[in-house]
Amino acid sequence: MDFAGEGIPMYLWGGSVGPEGDPLEFGARVVSGTDGGFSYVNAQVAESGDEIVGMLLGYRLPDPHDVEPLNEAPAVVRPLLELEALVPGSWYVNAVAADPAWRGRGVGSALMQRAEELAVESGAHTLSLIVAEQNRGARRLYQRFGYTDVARRPLMPWPGCRHSGDWVLMAKPLP
């Protein structure tokens, strides 16, 4: 999840537990619950044998999508929340990633296909996701699947951030 989330989960989890806490342990507690988008119930895992080679975290956004007061959210997630609010009721790909050793072998494509199946099952009319504009490989994959740019917000850097520029909201209508 941390890899797919560009390092934001570990940054936020670390801030929640402080210097003496274990961010991974905190994150495990968060995903072990059944409430909220970060629940394991919203996760799909790609496996090869007994090895996890990729993951997808996605769910349908509420409609209407009321954003919590943005001034209460951590600065790094405010632009993401603003973008999510532009696609209420869409099936949202919160995070998708293939293990680097498995890239170029169809894992990402299989996970994106699974996202589309889940979106159709949910009754959503649109798929959506947010990607860093500098993540060119991911953007190419999403464009191959029919996603187009909808809106942008400036990326607010955090310690360990690998990108600069904008977050890009991409969406794809479903038949």
Side-chain angles (χ1 to χ4, degrees), residues 62-171:
D63 187 6
H65 187 32
D66 296 324
V67 178
E68 65 185 74
L70 289 178
N71 61 345
E72 294 178 16
V76 298
V77 298
R78 288 179 197 155
L80 301 170
L81 295 172
E82 289 177 7
L83 290 169
E84 286 176 21
L86 298 175
V87 284
S90 68
W91 202 89
Y92 180 59
V93 176
N94 182 294
V96 63
D99 182 294
W102 285 83
R103 292 205 179 133
R105 297 168 69 178
V107 174
S109 293
L111 290 167
M112 293 306 294
Q113 181 60 45
R114 182 65 181 139
E116 190 163 330
E117 293 165 3
L118 292 166
V120 168
E121 289 172 17
S122 80
H125 299 288
T126 306
L127 278 149
S128 63
L129 56 83
I130 299 170
V131 62
E133 71 178 323
Q134 291 182 339
N135 191 341
R136 288 176 181 79
R139 285 180 52 87
R140 278 192 305 274
L141 173 67
Y142 305 147
Q143 289 167 340
R144 278 198 322 265
F145 272 85
Y147 288 78
T148 58
D149 293 4
V150 173
R152 294 171 172 261
R153 294 290 187 277
L155 184 148
M156 301 299 291
W158 61 93
C161 178
R162 298 183 313 244
H163 302 293
S164 61
D166 288 339
W167 288 117
V168 180
L169 172 66
M170 301 181 79

Side-chain angles (χ1 to χ4, degrees), residues 46-53 102:
E47 299 173 299
S48 178
D50 61 354
E51 182 180 4
I52 295 175
V53 298
W102 285 83

Side-chain angles (χ1 to χ4, degrees), residues 24-47:
L24 283 178
E25 184 179 299
F26 179 84
R29 282 195 313 272
V30 169
V31 300
S32 68
T34 56
D35 294 331
F38 271 78
S39 169
Y40 73 94
V41 299
N42 297 319
Q44 303 283 311
V45 178
E47 299 173 299

